Amino acid sequence: MANVDRVRGFEPVGFLSGASYNGESRRCYVPSGQDKALAVGDIVKLLANGASKNVPNVTDSDAGDCPCGVITSIERWEDGILDPTYLPASTGAYVLVCMDPNLVMRVQSSGTVEDGDVGANADLVAAGVDTDSGASGMEIDQSTVNTTNTLIFFILEVEDRADNELGANADLLVGFNIHQYGHGADTTGSTGSTGVHA
């Protein structure tokens, strides 16, 4: 049975220790200068010299960046009503970000996954937000799968589910190969750090 092609970003599921994800996240702020929409499941990086709200400032992470975590919730108010679906571009708001460098996440691959891809590294596709559904457009960039140690993620496994298999658009479990608070640490919010998987 073919895998369903449904891009939805990165979903925390656990930790490298084997522990389950417990929902813990840190409150961060996205300044209004952010020029892209953001959604739950988007990978973000620290933003240096941002508008201080006494919490870390974050912005969208792109291919090749060194990230700090994944958005797990959005605190956006519209006309006095909480609207957590997604954060439009140029809108300042608080977001919750899981910043644990040992986080394991579920994510779809953009291409055809082969058995030999497990244990390799990969970058991300930052395709933007589906503003109708509010879904993240981020997924693993299958075309980048390699042993290169500066790629953002390592592929832990193909998720073991009855409706998921090797092939096009398989769901993967991945971890951070480089991370601003841990692996290949780079706290400047810029690109280029040495990863831990070669």
Side-chain angles (χ1 to χ4, degrees):
M1 180 174 66
N3 297 316
V4 176
D5 183 5
R6 185 169 67 89
V7 182
R8 58 199 181 281
F10 292 76
E11 179 186 356
V13 296
F15 299 94
L16 288 174
S17 66
S20 298
Y21 178 59
N22 54 14
E24 289 189 8
S25 299
R26 185 171 296 279
R27 199 171 192 226
C28 299
Y29 188 73
V30 178
S32 59
Q34 160 77 24
D35 62 357
K36 294 181 182 178
L38 290 173
V40 171
D42 276 357
I43 301 294
V44 292
K45 64 183 179 181
L46 294 172
L47 178 63
N49 302 317
S52 176
K53 296 286 185 178
N54 299 320
V55 295
N57 280 209
V58 295
T59 188
D60 68 296
S61 191
D62 209 340
D65 288 345
C66 186
C68 70
V70 59
I71 294 177
T72 58
S73 182
I74 294 173
E75 299 179 11
R76 174 179 172 249
W77 294 86
E78 183 71 24
D79 296 327
I81 300 172
L82 183 64
D83 181 3
T85 51
Y86 76 96
L87 183 62
S90 305
T91 305
Y94 288 99
V95 295
L96 296 181
V97 178
C98 183
M99 293 183 166
D100 194 310
N102 295 307
L103 185 66
V104 173
M105 297 163 286
R106 173 188 298 118
V107 62
Q108 179 176 283
S109 170
S110 67
T112 300
V113 177
E114 300 176 354
D115 188 46
D117 296 338
V118 172
N121 301 324
D123 219 325
L124 62 77
V125 175
V129 176
D130 182 333
T131 55
D132 291 328
S133 68
S136 168
M138 289 190 174
E139 57 187 335
I140 286 292
D141 185 350
Q142 188 66 31
S143 70
T144 66
V145 173
N146 207 306
T147 58
T148 308
N149 67 359
T150 53
L151 294 170
I152 298 175
F153 306 101
F154 66 88
I155 299 171
L156 185 63
E157 62 182 82
V158 177
E159 187 172 31
D160 185 14
R161 296 194 329 258
D163 62 345
N164 189 55
E165 60 186 16
L166 286 172
N169 307 123
D171 279 351
L172 304 171
L173 297 184
V174 303
F176 287 109
N177 185 48
I178 57 174
H179 192 284
Q180 289 177 300
Y181 287 128
H183 309 314
D186 175 3
T187 58
T188 64
S190 61
T191 63
S193 294
T194 301
V196 295
H197 291 75

